[in-house]
Amino acid sequence: MKLKGAIFDVDGTLFDSMGMWATAASRYLKSQGIEPPAGIDSKFITLSLAEGSKLIKNDFLPQLTWEQIAKGINDLIENFYFNLHETKAGVPELLKALDDAGVSMCIATATDKYLVEKALDNCGILKCFGEIFTCPDLGVGKDTPDIYRTALSFLGTERDSTLIFEDSYFATKTAFNDGFMIAAVEDKWASKHRDEIKSIAKYYITSYDEWRKKYL
């Protein structure tokens, strides 16, 4: 395969940032002086921000509006990305090798664009990507392949010469079922689905440096 295009997820793929999302509810409750109960994060992460904020209001902070709670959670997340200055190990070297090989790259993420731009810029890798496509901007989730199709159209490459770098099982499965090739990146927050991810990924990456030296 002659690689011509690469589509990158962000959280858990370029950055070790899934923990921020996975613990957002408990982090917020602690910021309000409340000891979070066991299981609150696993419940919160299955909900939309509005739904999760209403849950926290009803169970813990009835004196606040859910909109105030949502803003507080968003402020914590924004602060995290605005102060994120480090990628996962091996990311800058991988991006340079892909660029040197003439591979066109873009982003496909569920995170808001302004947060992604800031973190990528902080790490000096924003210039590597031709465009940033986000689920909020497109009005879709990664339970559909729309964001990957949009990114592929932008790159102007074919599926059989394009890799999608992803970490989560549900996103990997969505892309795979639509005919994309997957370079699955190991992340501790997706480890419970490791076997399922390995079964559909063309590559399973535990080290960017090792993968780069072997395949680029």
Side-chain angles (χ1 to χ4, degrees):
M1 176 192 71
K2 172 62 175 175
L3 185 61
K4 296 182 179 179
I7 300 168
F8 281 87
D9 172 54
V10 172
D11 298 297
T13 302
L14 294 176
F15 300 125
D16 188 12
S17 49
M18 282 305 299
M20 177 66 228
W21 296 101
T23 61
S26 60
R27 287 172 185 259
Y28 177 73
L29 288 174
K30 287 180 179 179
S31 76
Q32 298 299 305
I34 298 172
E35 184 62 28
I40 185 63
D41 286 318
S42 58
K43 183 184 296 185
F44 182 87
I45 203 166
T46 65
L47 305 173
S48 68
L49 179 59
E51 291 169 337
S53 299
K54 290 172 184 176
L55 171 71
I56 289 176
K57 171 183 169 58
N58 292 337
D59 291 356
F60 303 102
L61 293 165
Q63 71 274 23
L64 299 181
T65 66
W66 75 262
E67 291 92 347
Q68 288 173 316
I69 294 169
K71 182 181 184 306
I73 295 171
N74 268 330
D75 286 347
L76 285 176
I77 292 171
E78 181 177 284
N79 182 65
F80 174 83
Y81 282 96
F82 273 49
N83 289 283
L84 186 58
H85 290 84
E86 186 177 27
T87 67
K88 278 192 163 185
V91 166
E93 295 82 3
L94 172 66
L95 297 179
K96 182 179 186 307
L98 289 170
D99 185 58
D100 288 346
V103 177
S104 299
M105 294 176 277
C106 67
I107 296 286
T109 179
T111 300
D112 286 335
K113 187 173 183 178
Y114 80 102
L115 298 175
V116 173
E117 282 182 330
K118 179 61 176 176
L120 293 174
D121 192 36
N122 286 348
C123 295
I125 59 174
L126 177 60
K127 61 182 179 297
C128 297
F129 304 101
E131 187 55 89
I132 297 171
F133 298 100
T134 75
C135 292
D137 285 346
L138 295 176
V140 297
K142 286 191 173 180
D143 54 340
T144 75
D146 294 12
I147 191 168
Y148 302 118
R149 293 177 180 179
T150 300
L152 184 71
S153 178
F154 169 80
L155 293 177
T157 55
E158 302 296 328
R159 275 177 169 77
D160 61 4
S161 62
T162 306
L163 275 176
I164 293 181
F165 289 79
E166 270 283 4
D167 66 298
S168 75
Y169 173 55
F170 86 92
T172 296
K173 187 176 180 182
T174 295
F176 175 80
N177 286 342
D178 201 51
F180 285 96
M181 294 189 299
I182 312 299
V185 180
E186 185 169 81
D187 187 77
K188 64 182 179 181
W189 297 99
S191 61
K192 67 179 180 179
H193 294 296
R194 183 182 292 113
D195 291 341
E196 294 98 322
I197 294 171
K198 283 184 174 181
S199 71
I200 61 177
K202 181 175 180 63
Y203 305 104
Y204 188 81
I205 302 173
T206 58
S207 165
Y208 276 124
D209 287 336
E210 291 178 7
W211 188 85
R212 170 177 54 82
K213 292 173 183 177
K214 185 174 182 179
Y215 295 106
L216 293 179

